[in-house]
């Protein structure tokens, strides 16, 4: 007993010495730093010259170079590849007085050289292990290229498909979004941050960026505490609980205050209540943008507001480096504010192992071995297959036969090797995705011909940001496509948005198939209705016509490097799809924002049942329901749910309740179903959603097989941010729904005492 006690005491003291030693090292270093050097740590520049080339001779690049050499830059972003990173690191470490290494940031939103499916697609897998693996391998590949910090995961909940950045997130649900956020943090950061294969992650954009008014990027956000706490913040809290090292604030203002200067969000909540001990980086130029918001009168004022608001590092505004010293002289901020920010930044650098070895992430052999390796490719394929959602499959047109079928492959995206890489593929080489044409051609038994139908237009308006659109003026490809459709048994049409049509700054006011694609689809269907529509898109689209007239629809998003292989395996049935939508697909833009976990209203009505009045919450010209609901997705198998039950009808706060059911695969092939559990709190101190996801499981079954499945609910599943402004579960009635998607109707009831 005594020995056990001594060992425990020893363990505790060793842990606290190790912990203390980083804190001590930070304060030792801080005590040696001049004010300017401290401010330098808070300054981040974008890669501004070809580092392995000559030193810049004049202008802004020369100024920035001198800052770097003086130790007035704490971080750089978008410098990548061992040679380049080593070169900048060398300047920071060897030229500056204290030799403090840089932290090198990069957006690994869905991979580095090997591109994984866009996050919205990965979220459709509902497979947390797969999502974690994708982050883990992206980190491994990027770390091998010198990067040690990523500006991911993007965990903004959003309800508006017009917003182009829905492709970067996990969709509309805070429960799924929180689990995915934590999985991605675990993937990027691993168990040991100082390993050369793991990197620091960033939870972004803090906060409510996904609620941009009218889905227009960068737009103002005005939401109340109920939505903020119950919907927007949970994934951020989950990221903190998973040990995330950094946060990025957001471009939007929230209820009148730009997030970059929001003391409530960054100081009270994040660094206060949540005890977050990492650092906060601004978004690109967001400190300066507070002037355009009409919140700061000039650069100096913007610097003051951002620092007091809790922004520790300035991404690309150059405001901290020029203004913070003056602000100290003017007594508008204190050295304690600076010391706090710098300590947070240095701590993460120590944790990354950069002080022991600034070149830890700069091993050229490792870079060669890991970049695009088989491990990467296999994982990218696996995750891509899991991300596909089967939306419709009438008369079992899918899966396709593998032999003797004449297939016409039509559409602007069918042979395209660039679009499937999605928007955030800044580390990847263009045209490196496997196209659908290539994927299908790996199956030799069928005769496949291809026609583009509608062309793509390449545009790079500012000569830098790539822009590709789908043609709106030229229909010359139609004849060839229609002639092909007439000759074949099955037409596969690959339509959607180009990879550059969603993402940052890519909001849309229309959500139909862009360009001439809808027209092409209808003309082809008129000559051959046997169509499999493969969609590639970065956001929910409006598919009313296709849903009514096309027998099979496969949602294939932008699936990354292995896109075409994944799609071919699904079309041929070598992989049975199991993805479920992480966002509702609307029937019309006028329905937006659209989400399954909406409130009831005082006049809910029931869709399809005539309430005998116009005075209920609905549209006169459109249904309330989405075309495809949250959680929806088919399989080549069929699943039947039965014997839904709760093990009791009452539950106390410290106990739990079990919901169980039996699921049977009544189809002809082995398949996987993602079973979902939702609750409803029908009466509460603040109104609650009609349904909330609280559990899901993937159940794989052979044809004819059955399995009993259960979920356990505890008090914490029932908690919400109540009218008392705290997280609590309120006593009363709760309903439980179990089924294949968010529309499941069979209701079970219990009381919480
Ligand atoms: C985006 C961020 C991104 C940053 C750096 C900004 O425009 O909003 O999400 O991390 O650029 O690339």
């Amino acid at each position: 007993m005594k020995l056990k006690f001594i060992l425990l005491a020893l363990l505790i003291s060793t842990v606290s010495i190790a912990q203390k030693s980083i804190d001590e090292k930070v304060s030792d270093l801080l005590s040696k730093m001049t004010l300017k050097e401290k401010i330098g740590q808070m300054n981040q520049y974008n890669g501004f010259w070809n580092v392995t080339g000559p030193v810049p001779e004049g202008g802004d690049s020369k100024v920035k170079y001198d800052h770097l050499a003086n130790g007035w830059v704490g971080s750089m972003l978008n410098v990548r590849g061992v040679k380049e990173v080593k070169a900048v690191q060398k300047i920071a470490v060897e030229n500056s007085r204290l030799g403090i290494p840089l932290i090198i940031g990069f957006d690994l939103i869905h991979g580095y050289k090997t591109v994984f499916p866009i996050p919205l697609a990965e979220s459709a897998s509902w497979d947390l292990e797969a999502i974690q693996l994708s982050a883990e391998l992206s980190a491994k590949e990027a770390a091998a290229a010198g990067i040690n910090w990523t500006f991911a995961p993007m965990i903004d909940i959003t309800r508006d498909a017009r917003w182009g950045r829905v492709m970067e997130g996990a969709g509309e649900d805070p429960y799924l979004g929180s689990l995915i956020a934590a999985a991605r943090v675990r993937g990027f950061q691993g168990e040991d941050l100082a390993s050369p294969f793991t990197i620091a992650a960033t939870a972004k954009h803090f906060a409510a960026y996904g609620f941009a008014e009218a889905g227009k990027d960068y737009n103002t956000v005005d939401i109340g505490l109920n939505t903020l706490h119950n919907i927007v913040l949970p994934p951020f809290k989950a990221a903190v609980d998973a040990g995330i090292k950094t946060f990025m604030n957001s471009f939007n203002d929230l209820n009148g205050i730009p997030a970059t200067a929001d003391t409530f969000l960054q100081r009270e909540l994040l660094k206060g209540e949540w005890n977050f001990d990492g650092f906060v980086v601004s978004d690109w130029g967001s400190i300066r943008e507070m002037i355009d918001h009409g919140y700061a009168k000039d650069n100096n004022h913007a610097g003051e507001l951002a620092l007091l608001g809790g922004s520790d590092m300035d991404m690309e505004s150059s405001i901290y480096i020029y203004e913070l010293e003056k602000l100290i002289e003017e007594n508008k901020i204190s050295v304690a504010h600076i010391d706090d920010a710098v300590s947070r930044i240095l701590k993460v650098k120590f944790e990354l192992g950069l002080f022991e070895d600034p070149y830890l992430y700069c091993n050229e052999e490792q870079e060669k071995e890991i970049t695009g390796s088989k491990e990467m490719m296999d994982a990218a394929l696996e995750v891509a297959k899991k991300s596909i959602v089967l939306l419709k499959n009438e008369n079992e047109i899918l899966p396709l036969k593998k032999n003797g079928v004449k297939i016409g492959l039509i559409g602007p995206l069918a042979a395209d090797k660039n679009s499937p890489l999605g928007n955030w593929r800044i580390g990847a080489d263009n045209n490196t995705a496997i196209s659908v044409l290539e994927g299908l051609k790996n199956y030799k038994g069928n005769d496949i011909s291809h026609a583009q139908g509608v062309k793509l237009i390449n545009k790079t308006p500012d000569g830098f940001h790539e822009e590709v659109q789908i043609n709106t003026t030229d229909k010359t490809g139609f004849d060839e496509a229609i002639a092909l459709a007439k000759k074949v048994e099955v037409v596969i049409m690959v339509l959607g948005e180009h990879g550059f049509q969603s993402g940052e700054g890519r909001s849309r006011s229309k959500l139909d198939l862009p360009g001439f694609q809808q027209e092409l689809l209808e003309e082809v269907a008129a000559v051959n209705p046997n169509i499999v529509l493969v969609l590639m898109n970065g956001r929910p689209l409006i598919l009313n016509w296709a849903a009514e007239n096309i027998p099979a629809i496969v949602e294939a998003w932008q699936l990354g490097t292995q896109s075409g292989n994944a799609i071919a395996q699904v079309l041929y049935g070598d992989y049975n799809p199991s993805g479920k939508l992480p966002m509702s697909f609307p029937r019309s833009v006028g329905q937006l924002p659209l989400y399954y976990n909406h409130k009831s209203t005082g006049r809910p009505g029931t869709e399809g049942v005539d309430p005998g009045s116009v005075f209920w919450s609905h549209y006169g010209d459109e249904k309330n329901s989405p075309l495809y609901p949250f959680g929806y997705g088919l399989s080549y198998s069929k699943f039947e749910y039965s014997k839904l039950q709760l093990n009791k009808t009452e539950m106390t706060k410290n106990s739990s309740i079990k919901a169980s059911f039996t699921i049977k695969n009544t189809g002809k092939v082995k398949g996987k179903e993602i079973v979902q559990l939702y609750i409803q709190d029908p009466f509460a101190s603040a109104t609650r959603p009609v349904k909330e996801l609280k559990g899901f499981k993937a159940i794989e079954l052979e044809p004819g097989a059955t399995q009993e499945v259960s979920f356990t609910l505890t008090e914490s599943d029932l908690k919400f941010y109540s009218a008392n402004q705290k997280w609590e579960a309120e006593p009363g009635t709760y309903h439980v729904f179990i089924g294949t998607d968010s529309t499941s109707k069979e209701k079970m009831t219990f009381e919480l005492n």
Side-chain angles (χ1 to χ4, degrees):
M1 188 62 200
K2 208 171 162 195
L3 185 69
K4 253 191 192 167
F5 179 76
I6 295 170
L7 283 176
L8 191 71
L10 214 79
L11 189 74
I12 292 172
S13 67
T14 331
V15 169
S16 64
I17 288 169
Q19 179 55 40
K20 223 166 127 199
S21 76
I22 281 202
D23 291 347
E24 269 179 4
K25 285 178 193 169
V26 168
S27 57
D28 279 358
L29 183 54
L30 201 66
S31 67
K32 295 187 189 117
M33 294 168 80
T34 62
L35 181 60
K36 190 75 181 186
E37 282 166 343
K38 288 179 185 175
I39 294 169
Q41 286 303 305
M42 301 163 70
N43 180 32
Q44 183 188 48
Y45 285 146
N46 189 39
F48 50 89
W49 91 106
N50 177 3
V51 195
T52 43
V55 171
E57 276 181 2
D60 194 40
S61 291
K62 172 74 172 112
V63 174
K64 286 183 167 177
Y65 179 90
D66 291 342
H67 285 185
L68 180 63
N70 288 345
W72 297 347
V73 180
S75 172
M76 289 189 66
L77 73 151
N78 293 334
V79 181
R80 76 207 83 160
V82 167
K83 269 202 186 112
E84 295 276 306
V85 173
K86 230 181 190 167
V88 279
Q89 198 65 289
K90 201 163 181 276
I91 299 167
V93 172
E94 292 182 11
N95 286 43
S96 69
R97 192 178 72 91
L98 292 169
I100 300 175
L102 298 164
I103 178 170
I104 304 286
F106 197 84
D107 290 274
L108 295 175
I109 310 299
H110 46 109
Y112 179 61
K113 275 267 185 260
T114 307
V115 180
F116 284 82
I118 57 169
L120 187 66
E122 281 190 356
S123 305
S125 73
W126 297 47
D127 186 329
L128 301 175
E129 276 174 32
I131 291 168
Q132 180 171 335
L133 180 74
S134 141
E136 183 187 318
L137 293 183
S138 303
K140 186 173 173 182
E141 199 180 37
I147 291 152
N148 45 45
W149 177 28
T150 180
F151 309 122
M154 189 301 302
I155 54 180
D156 297 311
I157 297 296
T158 182
R159 297 165 159 180
D160 198 327
R162 289 173 294 184
W163 190 50
R165 298 193 82 166
V166 303
M167 51 97 32
E168 287 179 57
E172 72 193 36
D173 184 62
Y175 176 82
L176 181 62
S178 299
L179 292 173
I180 289 177
R184 302 196 82 211
V185 174
R186 288 194 301 271
F188 288 128
Q189 296 191 166
E191 302 268 298
D192 173 17
L193 205 60
S195 146
F197 303 118
T198 59
I199 61 179
T202 308
K204 73 184 190 186
H205 304 84
F206 199 55
Y209 184 38
F211 278 70
E213 214 170 79
K216 195 167 61 173
D217 208 2
Y218 317 122
N219 208 1
T220 197
V221 176
D222 207 322
I223 57 171
L225 288 183
N226 189 294
T227 302
L228 182 68
H229 285 276
N230 287 305
I231 306 293
V232 171
L233 294 177
F236 290 100
K237 177 66 167 55
V240 172
D241 293 344
I244 196 148
K245 293 296 164 192
T246 79
F247 260 58
M248 182 186 291
N249 50 41
S250 53
F251 287 129
N252 57 286
D253 66 330
L254 173 61
N255 304 331
I257 315 246
T260 307
D262 195 323
T263 27
F264 161 68
L265 281 177
Q266 300 183 125
R267 290 211 181 270
E268 273 176 52
L269 194 68
L270 178 63
K271 294 176 181 174
E273 209 179 296
W274 294 355
N275 243 327
F276 170 69
D277 63 357
F279 70 88
V280 179
V281 63
S282 79
D283 202 345
W284 181 291
S286 70
I287 297 181
R288 188 187 303 278
E289 286 179 13
M290 289 198 289
I291 301 170
D292 286 309
H293 274 288
Y295 191 69
K297 50 179 186 294
D298 52 27
N299 283 356
N300 181 270
H301 191 208
E304 175 190 345
L305 291 168
L307 185 72
L308 296 179
S311 296
D312 301 311
M313 186 181 276
D314 172 2
M315 181 189 285
E316 265 292 320
S317 272
S318 302
I319 283 186
Y320 278 3
I321 198 67
Y322 289 113
E323 303 298 335
L324 291 189
E325 273 177 304
K326 283 187 237 161
L327 286 163
I328 297 259
E329 281 159 25
E330 291 156 7
N331 268 334
K332 290 189 175 145
I333 58 167
S334 71
V335 174
H337 286 118
I338 306 249
D339 283 353
D340 176 58
V342 178
S343 303
R344 288 169 178 275
I345 294 165
L346 293 177
K347 183 163 177 283
V348 176
K349 290 187 177 184
F350 273 110
E351 288 171 338
L352 280 166
L354 287 169
F355 281 97
E356 264 104 287
D357 179 4
Y359 306 109
L360 179 67
Y361 300 85
C362 295
N363 178 332
E364 269 177 90
E365 259 163 49
Q366 213 154 282
E367 185 178 30
K368 261 190 225 131
E369 208 174 287
I370 293 174
T371 310
S373 65
K374 182 164 180 321
E375 183 189 26
M376 297 291 157
M377 292 299 161
D378 289 352
L381 177 59
E382 212 39 43
V383 183
K385 288 190 286 193
K386 290 179 168 172
S387 304
I388 293 173
V389 185
L390 181 63
L391 295 178
K392 187 176 175 191
N393 192 19
E394 217 169 59
N395 307 325
E396 297 187 359
I397 177 171
L398 286 174
L400 301 170
K401 286 202 208 86
K402 288 185 183 160
N403 288 298
V405 190
K406 272 193 162 177
I407 296 178
L409 179 65
I410 296 175
L413 301 171
D416 194 79
K417 292 172 67 60
N418 214 18
S419 175
L421 296 176
N423 190 316
W424 274 109
R425 45 52 177 265
I426 44 175
D429 300 322
N430 275 338
N431 295 307
T432 46
I434 306 283
S435 70
V436 181
L437 180 61
E438 288 170 325
L440 289 175
K441 288 232 159 150
N442 286 335
Y443 289 79
K444 308 276 182 237
N446 289 335
D447 172 8
I448 298 173
S449 313
H450 166 243
Q452 198 182 21
V454 179
K455 295 192 185 90
L456 297 172
I457 317 171
N458 275 294
K459 289 185 168 180
T460 44
D462 53 8
F464 173 65
H465 293 102
E466 283 179 271
E467 200 68 58
V468 179
Q469 281 166 13
I470 293 169
N471 207 301
T472 49
T473 50
D474 179 2
K475 283 167 72 173
T476 49
F478 271 43
D479 289 349
E480 187 198 3
I482 290 160
L484 174 60
K486 281 183 184 163
K487 286 195 304 212
V488 296
E489 294 158 74
V490 179
V491 177
I492 300 175
M493 294 198 70
V494 187
L495 308 177
E497 294 176 313
H498 190 274
F500 289 121
Q501 286 182 303
S502 59
E504 187 176 343
R506 271 71 173 206
S507 295
R508 292 181 63 197
S509 69
K510 302 179 191 71
L511 294 178
D512 48 4
L513 293 167
F516 279 132
Q517 295 181 102
Q518 179 65 29
E519 234 174 280
L520 179 71
L521 180 63
E522 291 182 27
E523 291 199 22
V524 169
V527 298
N528 188 343
N530 228 8
I531 295 178
V532 175
L533 172 60
V534 175
L535 293 165
M536 287 187 176
N537 41 306
R539 54 153 73 81
L541 294 177
I542 290 169
L543 303 166
N544 302 343
W545 191 89
E548 211 158 286
N549 296 287
I550 301 298
I553 308 178
V554 175
E555 176 52 76
W557 317 102
Q558 284 134 6
L559 294 176
T561 307
Q562 288 286 348
S563 180
N565 286 336
I567 293 167
Q569 287 193 26
V570 164
L571 297 184
Y572 279 120
D574 283 341
Y575 187 83
N576 187 353
S578 60
K580 300 277 190 176
L581 295 178
M583 254 188 111
S584 309
F585 273 43
R587 296 174 193 273
S588 97
V589 172
Q591 290 180 308
L592 298 177
L594 182 69
Y595 46 100
Y596 84 95
N597 46 355
H598 59 83
K599 301 289 182 70
S600 168
T601 81
R603 295 183 178 192
T606 308
E607 194 154 279
V609 177
D610 180 5
S613 148
V614 293
F615 302 112
W616 64 291
S617 181
H618 73 302
Y619 301 102
D621 58 357
E622 188 52 275
K623 289 182 177 166
N624 282 346
S625 62
L627 179 65
Y628 295 116
F630 174 83
Y632 173 83
L634 304 173
S635 158
Y636 297 147
S637 313
K638 298 223 161 7
F639 299 98
E640 204 178 83
Y641 291 68
S642 63
K643 299 195 206 138
L644 274 70
Q645 56 192 336
L646 295 178
N647 68 340
K648 46 190 179 185
T649 51
E650 290 189 13
M651 168 185 156
T652 55
K653 286 201 172 178
N654 316 324
S655 68
S656 61
I657 195 161
K658 203 162 102 179
S660 61
F661 62 100
T662 301
I663 181 166
K664 179 173 187 187
N665 179 353
T666 58
K668 293 185 214 108
V669 289
K670 183 178 169 183
K672 190 164 73 185
E673 164 83 331
I674 296 164
V675 299
Q676 300 158 39
L677 177 142
Y678 296 84
I679 63 158
Q680 184 195 14
D681 178 355
F683 167 74
S685 65
T687 56
R688 307 293 299 124
V690 294
K691 265 184 195 162
E692 289 174 273
L693 181 70
K694 288 293 171 186
F696 60 88
K697 284 183 182 170
I699 307 293
E700 188 152 29
L701 291 172
E702 295 290 342
T706 59
Q707 190 176 321
E708 200 180 297
V709 184
S710 67
F711 289 98
T712 302
L713 290 169
T714 64
E715 183 195 349
S716 77
D717 295 307
L718 310 178
K719 285 189 175 170
F720 75 110
Y721 189 80
S722 74
N724 299 323
Q725 305 204 344
K726 62 176 187 195
W727 280 87
E728 59 183 341
E730 294 181 346
T733 304
Y734 288 83
H735 300 312
V736 179
F737 307 82
I738 286 174
T740 184
D741 61 41
S742 60
T743 62
S744 49
K745 296 212 166 43
E746 203 173 323
K747 184 158 83 182
M748 298 176 280
T749 299
F750 71 92
E751 295 288 320
L752 175 71
N753 295 316

